Amino acid sequence: MSQEWLAITIGTILVNNFVLSKFLGICPFLGVSRKLGPALGMSGAVIFVMTIASFFASIINNFILTADISFTIGSYHIAGNLIFMKTLVFIAVIASLVQVVELSLQKLSPPLYASLGIYLPLITTNCAVMGCALENAKTGRGILYSTVFGFCTGIGFAIALILFASLREKLDLAKVPKPFEGMAIALVTAGILAMGFTGFSALVK
Amino acid sequence: MPVTVRLFRGGVHPKEGKELSCSEPIRTAPLLDKYTVILHQHIGAPPKLLVKNKDKVRKGQVIAEKAGFVSASVHSPTSGTVKLVNCHGPAGSHTPAVEITSDGKDEWDDYVKSDPDWEQLDSNECRKRVEQAGIVGMGGAAFPTSVKLSPPADKKIDNLILNGAECEPFLTADHRLMLEEGEKILTGASILGRILGVDKISIGIENNKQDAIDKLRETASKYSVEVIPLRVMYPQGAEKQLIFAITGREVPSGGLPMDAGCVVQNVGTAAAVADAVRERKPLIERVTTVTGKPVCNPGNWKFRIGTPLSKVLELAGGIKKQPAKMLLGGPMMGMAQYSLEVTIMKNASGVLLLDEDEIAQFGSQPCIRCGRCVEACPMSLMPGTLSQMIESEKFDLAEYTNVMDCIECGSCAYVCPALRPLVQHMKRGKAEVIANRK
Amino acid sequence: MLDLVILSAVLVVCMGIVLGLTIGIVAKVFEVKQDERIELVEEELPGANCGGCGFAGCSDFAKAIVGGTATPDQCPVCAEESVEKISKILGLETEPNKVKKVAVVLCGGDKNNAKFEAGYNGINDCKSAVLIGSGVKGCKYGCLGLGTCARACPFNAIEIKNGLAVVHPELCVGCGKCIETCPRNLIKFVPETVRIHVFCNSPEKGPAKKKVCSVACIGCRKCWKNAEENQIIMKGFLARVNYDFPPPPEIVEAAGCPTGCLRRTDGD
Amino acid sequence: MAEGKKTDIKLPDPSKLIVSSSPHLHNGSSVRKIMWLVILALMPSCIMGVYYFGFAAFRVLAVCVISSLIFEYIFARMMGRNNDWKDGSAIITGLLMGMLLSAGMPWWVCVIGCFIAIVFGKQVYGGIGFNPFNPACVGRIALIIAFPKMMTTWVPTRFMDKSFFVFDKSLLSPEKIEQIKGMSHLPFFHSVIDGVTCATPLGVVQTPFKLGTATEQLVGTVTDWQHVWQYAIGNIGGCIGETSAIALIIGGIFLIAMKVIKWYIPVSYIGTVAVFSTIVHFSMSPPALPGMVYQVLTGGLLIGAFFMATDMVTTPMTCKGGIIFGVGCGIITCVIRNWGGYPEGVMFSIVLMNALTPLIDRVTANRPFGKKQTSKTEA
């Protein structure tokens, strides 16, 4: 049992890192990695949102989408399930979830909002959250398992983002040649970082 | 006798080069026909000029008086006629100066006479005499001594440290002074101690000057001064490092020695204080080492303030061959000069000529992050990283990374394999940070 | 088949209602007042949250704009109209066009005609060089020629010619970035139409200047005598073109400046 | 001012003086000296490699060094830094690249590796001093990802008992062999299955361990002292430069003695691997993973620890940071070696820790003198 949890943790954080081996969530990965401070904020926000998004998405998935429906209205007999709707449903749920979280944080905990709040809207467009929910739906994991998976994915994202941000801060001092300045060198760096992470491949079957 | 050897963190050990001049006794330079005394010789506000063209002055007469708290008076080095000029200062810029053409009589002003009752003077009177004599830190920083002697009431000073470390390579002026005028230094030390009301006076000397340590130890106990041998390591004579080596206290970042309860004075300053209090002599001459391989006769001289470098080098017999660098001060912190008009100032501890094969040739290679500067830095900074920040003009980052704690000792640039002009980077960074703060 | 379509439609409608209501209620319950300009600014921004401005997304950037820590033109995506609209929201009126001003380096002492008193070994940067022996150039007011201004110019309008910075007026857009970089304060803004300058900035006495530079203004007043009143201003030993009331370019020939310090820039 | 005209006393000519910032002395060290000392330190293992693998090894090394120099020259010139190629750092990168390849490597793979190492590992970041990752590690990782088969096929040494480490199928039961064949998509299996020439001991021995199929016999073979001696002198399959442990240790100690590298990174790195592998070896029920001596002496650990993890540009500056770096490298290496998909984890661990270096530097920065009076003095 404990090995299973170890596998999911290590597997999600290092081996199948969403950013560096699945290339999901690249937008904030490149966008919010100029400085370490914002990167930390973004990481916190992503972990937070991914965890709760996975939780809600898996509830919806397990209780609504995968539920077999079979009833009769008048002469119509309706039977089947709505699993094919998962992408659409998850988009709507995650987007509104983020909105709700942002709005409530702004009121309930201004300090937390100040540190996370500005990153929350960005997460709406973060495909990693969506990917995480879909991955959970695909494997048909339970709610607890899905939530842990979401949390670990968030951690993996955070590790990649923080590493990358600290590298980019260092690159600020480098005399990068003109054609490679800015995003070009950032992408080269991200590539090398991803190559480094392939070392962990097959660590967990 | 226990040999206490104290040390600080970091530092470097350049070749000493002191053998050129350390056995040469101090000679007094003959009277010249002309002296050019720069007015602003110290840290702080420039003094107020008191003479005008064609005025007659006498030796020791005040030609510019202290203006402001952190400032110092300037006195005439001889008797003669005044001419106001602009002269080439040691920092390279043209700066107002007073040219005094000697009348050959070399007459002291009336107020300069020895005072047999000096031991009865109270501390305020002593401090006043130090102030009137225009004494500034003679080790190099040229900080007005009277200011150091007037700490704010809330700072308790319990330690007076005399700096006889002379950690700069090549220089031997303090060494000779300690050997030849030890009594005067110790007298000055006890006067300074009395002014500050400290319980402990110590004098730190690097133990490559064993003869000076022995010599001072003979009589030090009479003046209740403790002689402390220090390990040979540059920058042992930097204020903060010296305080740490002797007392184990750290001067807080951005603070002054008084924040650690200490006052540090150069041994030369102590001797000048003794002269000022006992004989009311103003600071118009100092001991300076003239040395370097290209110099014909390296030695230690007592020059009057205002002696131009051309005369200094003439007295030392001229040069054997063209040097690559002419420095005022030691090789690690001294300033490179390019004019023979530059004159000896109150803080000129040495005039040093360096050969081409001795000097550092700076380049513009990038930092390879070898970390040697980090190891060498006595202030535990990251000079390499700082210089990169300053190079890419990230001054706020540099300020955050403590560039202002740099003491510009040069240890980092001395060891840098990429030959980066790290001290110049630091100077730039500090200048920009100060400019930004305003 | 139809049944599932209907079912999905029902699901989407339900979801829409539930989620919409939730957000609406939460928004009402947890309403926080904020500067309404932020919202207006945010509307004008592209909303791509690309982070190209250096902030975490458009709303953060909008806050920074309203807070005054950022300017609208930092957004690399925004169209110019949006930038203008944002400026309007903030009440930042763009100034009416004045006469175009360009920078000029008021020094003529290049490596051939100005004296360098010693060799310099250090950072290739004027601001750093002045900290060491005040720069080794004989003239303490002249251009050091290490190119700090040229590197600061985003339009490559400054060229270092033989150890002297020269502004190309046709490339200069008058952004003024070079002016603050010069440690000697040699770079001045002048109207583009004036193409005649006294290329010297040293207030020292004539003979002293002559010793270190062959093209210094020695204060002979020839140009001053040949110009109408106030066209040339004399400040001690230094002549200055009055840029508000410039002399005609022909004065260069008429005056015959002995050192060639007074020159036209349209000739070459 | 009056010049000394009356006498024949010579005074300096001011116009020939040089003005620069203090300090005016220098200890004479230079980047070039450091680089050539590293090259010198790499020589023993290069010579051993050529001795064991013959001319083929020399060819690979030469191709790598020359192509690295050419790439460095071309790209440094393109970016306006004309003197970069002279400092010897490209030779080091080339040598390391060559030393990390098998002697049987085709020349074009060497050239591609060097191109990635020099251009993407270093030049695009602005040349020496600015690259966040060790160029040779980057080149090597790119190759192992791009050419997994070639990169795990090894040539036996000239003196090897050819059957010495050739995978012996008799050690496994037939169904296990089937199981292995089923997993041959993993990057190191083809060498096992095909029995091509010779596998690096690390690769071949770990496979059965990872699959839980190792037998007593195999464990015995691995820990045999006679074999340990073979690892130490380098008479085993593997890369050109990583075989001879003794030659590498001599080079490393030379560098430490010359104060080019700091002792704490190699010591903490190798120490961590030793401790970690010992713990794993004894804590697992037999057959356990290969033991400490084996882990330390074979594979790329020594070359990595002495020559790549100590690359100044990409590693932390402080002692504390260096130790963290070494320990991190050690742990990642062991994890990848023992449980990962690749037989060797040294290069990956160094690149990953390179990525962590800015963070480590930030955390382990020295306390500036005089900051925070409360903490104890550290003389």
Side-chain angles (χ1 to χ4, degrees):
Chain A
M1 188 62 194
S2 65
Q3 263 195 332
E4 195 185 322
W5 290 111
L6 189 71
I8 182 182
T9 323
I10 303 274
T12 340
I13 295 176
L14 297 179
V15 185
N16 298 319
N17 188 297
F18 257 51
V19 180
L20 293 173
S21 64
K22 295 197 172 170
F23 304 106
L24 289 169
I26 296 295
C27 173
F29 179 66
L30 293 173
V32 202
S33 55
R34 288 237 179 125
K35 287 255 149 23
L36 199 55
L40 284 170
M42 187 71 194
S43 306
V46 167
I47 295 174
F48 184 64
V49 169
M50 272 198 180
T51 316
I52 55 170
S54 304
F55 175 69
F56 281 107
S58 104
I59 287 181
I60 290 169
N61 186 51
N62 286 347
F63 293 109
I64 300 175
L65 297 179
T66 52
D68 284 323
I69 303 161
S70 163
F71 57 91
T72 314
I73 301 171
S75 58
Y76 287 110
H77 180 73
I78 298 172
N81 61 36
L82 287 168
I83 193 71
F84 60 88
M85 290 287 290
K86 61 177 188 271
T87 310
L88 194 69
V89 173
F90 288 163
I91 290 174
V93 167
I94 291 170
S96 26
L97 188 68
V98 172
Q99 278 291 308
V100 168
V101 168
E102 191 196 350
L103 286 168
S104 37
L105 270 189
Q106 200 175 1
K107 180 80 178 179
L108 298 178
S109 171
L112 191 61
Y113 177 76
S115 53
L116 293 188
I118 47 178
Y119 304 105
L120 287 171
L122 269 181
I123 297 171
T124 330
T125 58
N126 186 346
C127 50
V129 182
M130 182 75 188
C132 183
L134 286 176
E135 177 97 5
N136 279 330
K138 193 175 83 188
T139 48
R141 289 166 179 147
I143 293 171
L144 177 63
Y145 198 89
S146 298
T147 313
V148 172
F149 181 81
F151 178 71
C152 290
T153 308
I155 300 267
F157 180 88
I159 287 177
L161 184 63
I162 291 167
L163 276 184
F164 192 55
S166 67
L167 280 171
R168 278 186 83 177
E169 260 191 14
K170 190 178 163 187
L171 288 185
D172 268 0
L173 301 178
K175 286 183 184 142
V176 177
K178 266 257 147 47
F180 282 97
E181 258 173 19
M183 204 43 91
I185 196 69
L187 286 170
V188 170
T189 311
I192 297 176
L193 197 57
M195 289 207 304
F197 265 76
T198 55
F200 291 121
S201 63
L203 205 58
V204 177
K205 281 123 223 162
Chain B
M1 195 178 349
V3 180
T4 46
V5 177
R6 317 287 183 91
L7 203 61
F8 55 96
R9 186 203 169 279
V12 291
H13 188 205
K15 112 188 140 129
E16 289 175 20
K18 297 195 189 240
E19 65 287 348
L20 287 174
S21 57
C22 70
S23 50
E24 299 288 330
I26 300 170
R27 282 180 281 177
T28 307
L31 182 65
L32 305 178
D33 25 322
K34 219 186 254 176
Y35 291 96
T36 312
V37 183
I38 291 172
L39 292 178
H40 193 190
Q41 301 202 15
H42 49 263
I43 289 180
K48 203 176 95 202
L49 188 65
L50 292 182
V51 290
K52 50 186 188 299
N53 266 333
K54 295 191 184 144
D55 271 4
K56 296 268 183 228
V57 291
R58 294 167 83 186
K59 185 179 180 183
Q61 188 181 331
V62 182
I63 50 180
E65 101 189 317
K66 179 177 159 142
F69 181 60
V70 183
S71 185
S73 310
V74 178
H75 304 76
S76 170
T78 185
S79 55
T81 323
V82 164
K83 187 182 165 199
L84 303 183
V85 291
N86 254 345
C87 105
H88 197 286
S93 52
H94 291 196
T95 164
V98 173
E99 194 178 279
I100 291 153
T101 313
S102 169
D103 58 8
K105 287 184 232 155
D106 205 23
E107 279 176 332
W108 280 104
D109 202 346
D110 296 334
Y111 78 94
V112 182
K113 52 180 179 283
S114 72
D115 178 0
D117 306 325
W118 65 274
E119 276 175 90
Q120 269 73 55
L121 294 173
D122 66 353
S123 67
N124 267 336
E125 183 56 28
C126 285
R127 189 182 292 133
K128 216 168 136 199
R129 286 193 180 178
V130 170
E131 192 178 322
Q132 281 167 348
I135 297 176
V136 302
M138 285 160 75
F143 192 77
T145 301
S146 60
V147 180
K148 275 192 188 176
L149 296 181
S150 332
D154 57 329
K155 298 267 195 282
K156 171 94 187 74
I157 306 294
D158 55 2
N159 249 298
L160 170 69
I161 298 169
L162 285 207
N163 186 352
E166 199 161 54
C167 56
E168 280 268 11
F170 288 100
L171 302 188
T172 54
D174 289 352
H175 183 186
R176 292 310 306 181
L177 193 71
M178 285 188 285
L179 279 179
E180 295 174 30
E181 295 183 14
E183 291 295 332
K184 204 194 261 183
I185 292 171
L186 292 170
T187 312
S190 61
I191 295 170
L192 287 167
R194 212 165 72 209
I195 296 175
L196 290 163
V198 297
D199 1 304
K200 198 161 168 260
I201 307 175
S202 32
I203 170 162
I205 305 173
E206 276 192 353
N207 59 13
N208 56 357
K209 295 180 262 292
Q210 196 56 47
D211 48 352
I213 296 174
D214 296 342
K215 172 94 186 172
L216 287 181
R217 272 204 173 136
E218 281 168 22
T219 46
S221 55
K222 209 170 84 194
Y223 297 89
S224 59
V225 174
E226 192 191 351
V227 180
I228 297 177
L230 303 163
R231 181 137 24 119
V232 184
M233 187 62 110
Y234 178 86
Q236 184 70 76
E239 244 176 12
K240 293 179 178 180
Q241 276 61 38
L242 189 68
I243 292 172
F244 182 74
I246 288 182
T247 66
R249 297 179 199 169
E250 285 189 23
V251 178
S253 163
L256 291 169
M258 63 171 75
D259 295 317
C262 296
V263 164
V264 179
Q265 294 289 0
N266 182 263
V267 285
T269 318
V273 165
D275 276 346
V277 174
R278 285 196 302 200
E279 298 167 43
R280 309 211 56 180
K281 258 196 214 162
L283 179 57
I284 56 162
E285 57 183 8
R286 67 154 297 142
V287 180
T288 300
T289 307
V290 186
T291 185
K293 266 201 250 164
V295 177
C296 284
N297 307 315
N300 302 291
W301 292 79
K302 199 167 251 180
F303 290 118
R304 303 223 178 144
I305 308 298
T307 311
L309 289 190
S310 51
K311 289 287 169 201
V312 166
L313 292 173
E314 238 169 68
L315 286 169
I319 54 166
K320 286 184 244 175
K321 60 175 191 185
Q322 172 70 26
K325 265 187 188 173
M326 178 166 72
L327 310 176
L328 209 53
M332 297 300 280
M333 287 186 80
M335 278 188 278
Q337 303 300 326
Y338 52 96
S339 167
L340 291 169
E341 265 181 44
V342 173
T343 60
I344 296 286
M345 304 213 307
K346 290 174 182 175
N347 62 344
S349 46
V351 174
L352 175 61
L353 301 187
L354 288 175
D355 254 351
E356 190 144 11
D357 54 350
E358 291 174 298
I359 59 167
Q361 294 278 8
F362 295 116
S364 54
Q365 278 173 287
C367 169
I368 57 162
R369 289 172 41 87
C370 64
R372 292 177 187 193
C373 52
V374 179
E375 255 167 48
C377 181
M379 298 303 287
S380 300
L381 305 177
M382 313 270 271
T385 318
L386 278 171
S387 78
Q388 282 181 319
M389 292 170 182
I390 291 159
E391 217 170 12
S392 43
E393 313 220 317
K394 295 194 168 27
F395 300 113
D396 44 345
L397 198 58
E399 185 180 3
Y400 175 75
T401 324
N402 306 308
V403 69
M404 295 311 282
D405 284 327
C406 174
I407 56 170
E408 297 176 24
C409 68
S411 302
C412 48
Y414 175 76
V415 297
C416 180
L419 292 160
R420 287 167 68 79
L422 290 165
V423 175
Q424 198 178 2
H425 281 298
M426 300 299 150
K427 283 184 175 160
R428 165 94 201 274
K430 285 164 90 171
E432 296 279 347
V433 169
I434 290 169
N436 284 348
R437 279 182 187 172
K438 273 176 191 160
Chain C
M1 191 59 219
L2 187 65
D3 48 357
L4 282 181
V5 174
I6 294 167
L7 199 57
S8 339
V10 171
L11 178 75
V12 171
V13 170
C14 292
M15 202 173 67
I17 293 168
V18 170
L19 294 178
L21 273 178
T22 321
I23 293 179
I25 290 166
V26 169
K28 259 278 161 301
V29 171
F30 297 122
E31 195 184 356
V32 174
K33 285 258 180 313
Q34 58 175 3
D35 195 336
E36 51 189 36
R37 287 184 303 169
I38 294 175
E39 217 163 301
L40 289 173
V41 171
E42 204 181 334
E43 264 169 36
E44 290 303 326
L45 291 171
N49 291 327
C50 66
C53 48
F55 291 90
C58 293
S59 82
D60 192 30
F61 182 46
K63 254 174 238 168
I65 294 176
V66 175
T69 52
T71 52
D73 52 5
Q74 265 171 280
C75 176
V77 193
C78 253
E80 238 166 76
E81 306 124 51
S82 325
V83 173
E84 256 169 50
K85 272 188 199 162
I86 293 170
S87 309
K88 228 176 252 171
I89 295 168
L90 299 177
L92 299 170
E93 290 302 321
T94 35
E95 285 177 31
N97 276 351
K98 286 182 187 165
V99 182
K100 190 191 164 194
K101 291 208 161 185
V102 293
V104 62
V105 181
L106 291 181
C107 175
D110 63 14
K111 273 186 188 154
N112 298 342
N113 42 36
K115 189 177 155 203
F116 281 82
E117 291 188 327
Y120 168 69
N121 172 227
I123 308 172
N124 229 8
D125 171 80
C126 306
K127 280 193 163 184
S128 307
V130 287
L131 298 171
I132 308 300
S134 288
V136 291
K137 204 168 190 173
C139 175
K140 296 298 166 208
Y141 303 89
C143 173
L144 292 164
L146 295 174
T148 302
C149 51
R151 283 189 292 275
C153 180
F155 305 96
N156 292 326
I158 304 182
E159 186 194 349
I160 304 296
K161 271 190 196 163
N162 196 16
L164 176 70
V166 178
V167 180
H168 292 287
E170 66 280 5
L171 293 175
C172 179
V173 300
C175 67
K177 279 203 172 143
C178 51
I179 291 179
E180 58 217 42
T181 64
C182 182
R184 301 280 210 216
N185 291 322
L186 281 175
I187 308 180
K188 298 272 181 315
F189 258 154
V190 297
E192 197 195 10
T193 45
V194 184
R195 289 294 175 92
I196 168 171
H197 310 289
V198 177
F199 284 96
C200 185
N201 200 35
S202 171
E204 290 208 20
K205 287 176 183 161
K209 280 198 259 185
K210 189 126 204 207
K211 225 193 264 179
V212 292
C213 180
S214 63
V215 293
C217 172
I218 51 171
C220 68
R221 300 188 167 227
K222 272 191 181 164
C223 51
W224 182 75
K225 283 175 211 151
N226 274 290
E228 277 176 44
E229 206 178 331
N230 269 339
Q231 282 181 337
I232 299 273
I233 306 164
M234 290 303 295
K235 281 184 187 160
F237 280 87
L238 184 62
R240 271 261 173 273
V241 170
N242 183 353
Y243 290 105
D244 298 327
F245 181 42
E250 295 75 40
I251 192 173
V252 175
E253 288 80 25
C257 179
T259 57
C261 185
L262 179 74
R263 267 190 291 127
R264 285 159 72 159
T265 48
D266 45 4
D268 47 88
Chain D
M1 278 321 296
E3 300 286 326
K5 39 189 152 5
K6 51 197 184 292
T7 52
D8 55 349
I9 288 174
K10 252 173 62 188
L11 291 181
D13 175 2
S15 65
K16 286 186 188 145
L17 293 173
I18 297 169
V19 174
S20 78
S21 163
S22 59
H24 305 284
L25 298 179
H26 193 266
N27 67 356
S29 62
S30 75
V31 174
R32 200 178 297 183
K33 261 186 210 165
I34 292 176
M35 295 300 168
W36 281 102
L37 281 174
V38 176
I39 293 170
L40 198 61
L42 282 169
M43 277 303 129
S45 38
C46 283
I47 291 167
M48 289 306 272
V50 174
Y51 173 70
Y52 281 124
F53 296 104
F55 181 73
F58 180 76
R59 192 191 53 116
V60 168
L61 289 176
V63 167
C64 285
V65 169
I66 292 168
S67 60
S68 294
L69 263 179
I70 291 173
F71 289 133
E72 173 99 350
Y73 180 77
I74 294 172
F75 281 86
R77 278 205 87 109
M78 266 165 65
M79 306 192 179
R81 292 183 308 267
N82 293 343
N83 290 324
D84 267 25
W85 64 280
K86 288 183 196 156
D87 64 16
S89 59
I91 300 178
I92 296 181
T93 307
L95 263 183
L96 285 173
M97 271 309 291
M99 289 168 77
L100 293 170
L101 296 175
S102 152
M105 202 52 69
W107 65 269
W108 52 273
V109 176
C110 303
V111 173
I112 291 174
C114 291
F115 177 79
I116 294 169
I118 294 287
V119 177
F120 287 101
K122 193 164 96 181
Q123 287 297 338
V124 295
Y125 288 100
I128 183 171
F130 298 122
N131 48 316
F133 302 103
N134 186 315
C137 281
V138 171
R140 157 83 189 213
I141 290 184
L143 287 186
I144 208 170
I145 293 170
F147 308 104
K149 180 160 178 160
M150 258 181 239
M151 292 299 288
T152 41
T153 308
W154 311 102
V155 179
T157 68
R158 292 194 289 154
F159 314 100
M160 245 167 92
D161 171 6
K162 292 285 187 289
S163 66
F164 179 40
F165 266 121
V166 174
F167 192 78
D168 188 354
K169 287 185 181 148
S170 66
L171 293 177
L172 297 174
S173 57
E175 57 269 29
K176 287 290 178 192
I177 290 175
E178 283 311 304
Q179 190 186 341
I180 294 171
K181 274 187 179 161
M183 297 180 73
S184 61
H185 62 278
L186 288 176
F188 52 93
F189 271 105
H190 43 80
S191 60
V192 178
I193 302 305
D194 307 341
V196 178
T197 54
C198 154
T200 155
L202 209 54
V204 78
V205 169
Q206 275 171 16
T207 311
F209 280 120
K210 283 181 189 167
L211 296 170
T213 59
T215 58
E216 292 291 328
Q217 211 180 339
L218 187 55
V219 176
T221 320
V222 168
T223 47
D224 184 350
W225 277 108
Q226 189 206 332
H227 290 155
V228 169
W229 173 243
Q230 298 289 332
Y231 311 146
I233 61 166
N235 192 15
I236 43 174
C239 303
I240 295 166
E242 65 183 32
T243 53
S244 175
I246 290 177
L248 287 167
I249 291 172
I250 289 172
I253 288 175
F254 169 74
L255 284 188
I256 292 172
M258 296 303 289
K259 296 194 173 156
V260 172
I261 60 172
K262 308 287 171 0
W263 59 270
Y264 39 78
I265 293 182
V267 166
S268 59
Y269 190 172
I270 297 169
T272 308
V273 171
V275 170
F276 196 98
S277 52
T278 310
I279 292 171
V280 171
H281 184 70
F282 287 112
S283 66
M284 287 194 160
S285 56
L289 286 160
M292 175 191 92
V293 178
Y294 180 79
Q295 293 267 17
V296 171
L297 292 183
T298 66
L301 176 66
L302 290 173
I303 192 172
F306 282 118
F307 297 100
M308 302 175 89
T310 54
D311 170 21
M312 301 151 175
V313 179
T314 55
T315 52
M317 291 221 255
T318 56
C319 173
K320 242 187 289 171
I323 290 172
I324 295 175
F325 185 90
V327 171
C329 279
I331 292 173
I332 297 176
T333 304
C334 286
V335 166
I336 294 178
R337 274 186 179 183
N338 294 340
W339 297 293
Y342 290 95
E344 180 56 295
V346 172
M347 301 304 134
F348 291 109
S349 73
I350 293 173
V351 163
L352 289 169
M353 289 310 285
N354 284 164
L356 262 173
T357 298
L359 280 181
I360 296 176
D361 260 340
R362 196 180 264 258
V363 174
T364 61
N366 287 330
R367 177 185 66 91
F369 185 87
K371 287 259 167 178
K372 276 184 245 147
Q373 279 284 286
T374 45
S375 57
K376 276 277 165 203
T377 53
E378 42 167 27

